Amino acid sequence: MTFPHASIERISKNAGVERIGADAVAELDKIIDEIGEELARDAAKAAQHAKRNTIMREDIILVSGKQPA
């Protein structure tokens, strides 16, 4: 799955990037996709461990190592 380039550029600008090249946008898109797949895979394992078929917000937070907001 790829994200619209405008979304990648917006994410970059929110991170303080003034300009980003097309090749950098494409590479960042690829890496975001890989990280997302890994998080989803780990969240699925967490849900399975909890005897659920549905991934919940808490599973994503758990596997990402982030604190809930």
Side-chain angles (χ1 to χ4, degrees), residues 3-69:
F3 295 94
H5 284 194
S7 295
I8 301 295
E9 290 171 359
R10 179 183 45 78
I11 290 168
S12 299
K13 291 206 185 293
N14 288 344
V17 174
E18 289 186 30
R19 293 174 48 140
I20 185 167
D23 58 336
V25 169
E27 189 64 23
L28 186 55
D29 178 41
K30 180 178 144 188
I31 291 170
I32 289 171
D33 189 52
E34 290 171 2
I35 292 170
E37 277 188 35
E38 184 177 335
L39 284 172
R41 192 176 309 110
D42 291 346
K45 289 177 186 175
Q48 184 180 26
H49 179 74
K51 298 184 182 358
R52 288 185 277 105
N53 293 323
T54 304
I55 294 173
M56 308 294 282
R57 177 179 181 264
E58 293 77 18
D59 299 322
I60 300 295
I61 293 168
L62 175 69
V63 300
S64 71
K66 301 288 183 180
Q67 295 295 322

